[in-house]
Amino acid sequence: IPYFIDYQDALIGNPAYDIVSLLKDARRDLGAGTEEILLHYYLNYSSYNKTNFLKNYHLIGAQRQCKIIGIFARLNQRDNKPNYLQHIPRVIKHLKDHLEHPELADLKAWCMQYIKTLND
């Protein structure tokens, strides 16, 4: 399945954002182990500090997944577009994956307390 990168709103930001956008897509799953393989491939050919990059990858990823859940809920409620709701379980899984990073322990505790679907 080909992927397209939308540069419509392109800005300069953290380099982890584009990678997390590609590897944690809300609409489709990657094969088992593919995310890890592609992420490490990217890091092996970049000059980024791997520890810092992975921390940012998971922090930005968690923020992005929360944003997507909100957008999909809004599209359902305000715009009467319920088709987006089918993707929310995948996005919640992505959020849970990101929250496993040790640096995000406090955020994970907060999310587990206030986002009920994370406990399902």
Side-chain angles (χ1 to χ4, degrees):
I1 297 175
Y3 283 86
F4 296 95
I5 299 175
D6 178 2
Y7 290 102
Q8 179 177 324
D9 296 324
L11 299 170
I12 295 174
N14 191 293
Y17 188 88
D18 290 334
I19 302 304
V20 80
S21 297
L22 288 170
L23 300 181
K24 292 288 196 180
D25 188 80
R27 293 170 190 86
R28 61 191 51 85
D29 294 315
L30 293 178
T34 304
E35 175 191 6
E36 185 176 335
I37 291 167
L38 293 174
L39 184 56
H40 287 286
Y41 178 86
Y42 177 80
L43 287 172
N44 286 334
Y45 288 96
S46 74
S47 61
Y48 300 120
N49 174 288
K50 291 179 183 181
T51 301
N52 289 340
F53 187 93
L54 289 173
K55 179 179 119 181
N56 289 329
Y57 177 84
H58 290 293
L59 179 61
I60 290 166
Q63 180 274 334
R64 187 173 181 278
Q65 302 310 323
C66 289
K67 178 180 84 169
I68 291 169
I69 291 168
I71 289 169
F72 287 178
R74 182 196 73 217
L75 287 168
N76 175 56
Q77 288 189 323
R78 187 191 73 187
D79 300 341
N80 195 29
K81 295 181 178 181
N83 290 342
Y84 288 93
L85 297 179
Q86 68 182 317
H87 303 298
I88 288 182
R90 178 180 299 107
V91 177
I92 288 171
K93 181 190 176 311
H94 291 331
L95 176 56
K96 286 180 178 181
D97 292 346
H98 288 301
L99 291 174
E100 290 304 313
H101 191 279
E103 295 267 352
L104 302 184
D106 291 341
L107 179 60
K108 179 181 179 180
W110 186 93
C111 288
M112 297 302 283
Q113 181 176 353
Y114 294 104
I115 304 174
K116 294 181 190 318
T117 55
L118 291 181
N119 295 307
D120 294 340

